[in-house]
């Protein structure tokens, strides 16, 4: 019997091309190309994960590789050994030593939500979805 607090899992041999949506915590250790939307849940990108996707979640923990923008209503954590190429919009951001990050950061204050941030991506340089492409990294 599964424990209720256990996140859903996408294993390291799974490849998904398209859109992943849900209302529960998710652990991804495979490959995803497209988008992941978990506006009220926690998203964990495992150490074996390779994502070419835009991510929207309440909180995001990155241990693997992400090429795409991250929008979080709460906290984004980039752990040692991870690689993120893309922009980050969140209320809080933590980057450990030896994490690779290339992109812009927009730390929003107040009662922002991931859903509202996804609907109104504005920055002085233009929308977050127009991040420069980084070729050949993954």
């Amino acid at each position: 019997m599964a424990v209720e607090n256990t996140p859903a899992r996408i294993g390291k041999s799974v490849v998904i091309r398209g859109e992943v949506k849900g209302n529960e915590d998710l652990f991804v250790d495979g490959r995803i190309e497209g988008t992941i939307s978990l506006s009220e849940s926690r998203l964990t990108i495992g150490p074996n994960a390779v994502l070419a996707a835009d991510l929207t979640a309440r909180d995001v923990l990155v241990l693997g590789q992400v090429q795409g923008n991250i929008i979080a209503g709460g906290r984004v954590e980039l752990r040692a050994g991870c690689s993120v190429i893309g922009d980050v919009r969140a209320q809080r951001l933590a980057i450990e030593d030896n994490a690779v990050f290339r992109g812009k950061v927009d730390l929003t204050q107040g009662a922002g939500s991931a859903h509202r941030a996804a609907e109104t991506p504005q920055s002085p340089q233009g929308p977050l979805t127009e991040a420069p492409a980084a070729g050949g990294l993954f």
Side-chain angles (χ1 to χ4, degrees):
M1 179 182 276
V3 177
E4 234 178 90
N5 292 336
T6 303
R9 285 184 76 88
I10 296 177
K12 58 185 171 180
S13 67
V14 177
V15 177
I16 296 174
R17 289 185 177 90
E19 184 176 12
V20 176
K21 281 186 169 183
N23 291 321
E24 61 186 284
D25 294 347
L26 179 63
F27 180 89
V28 177
D29 215 21
R31 180 177 186 92
I32 296 179
E33 298 174 10
T35 61
I36 300 175
S37 298
L38 306 170
S39 60
E40 298 302 319
S41 303
R42 179 178 177 85
L43 174 62
T44 302
I45 308 303
N48 299 305
V50 178
L51 275 60
D54 289 331
L55 314 176
T56 303
R58 183 192 68 224
D59 298 311
V60 179
L61 170 62
V62 181
L63 302 163
Q65 298 179 14
V66 176
Q67 184 172 354
N69 299 322
I70 301 173
I71 298 174
R75 179 181 179 96
V76 173
E77 294 181 54
L78 308 182
R79 295 282 175 90
C82 80
S83 173
V84 174
I85 310 299
D87 297 338
V88 173
R89 175 176 283 177
Q91 286 187 359
R92 297 181 311 273
L93 173 64
I95 303 175
E96 287 187 354
D97 289 345
N98 297 320
V100 175
F101 172 70
R102 183 169 48 193
K104 294 182 284 190
V105 175
D106 181 5
L107 296 179
T108 57
Q109 299 297 318
S113 71
H115 181 68
R116 191 177 77 227
E119 290 176 351
T120 58
Q122 297 176 11
S123 72
Q125 293 80 25
L128 290 178
T129 55
E130 295 179 5
L137 294 176
F138 302 112

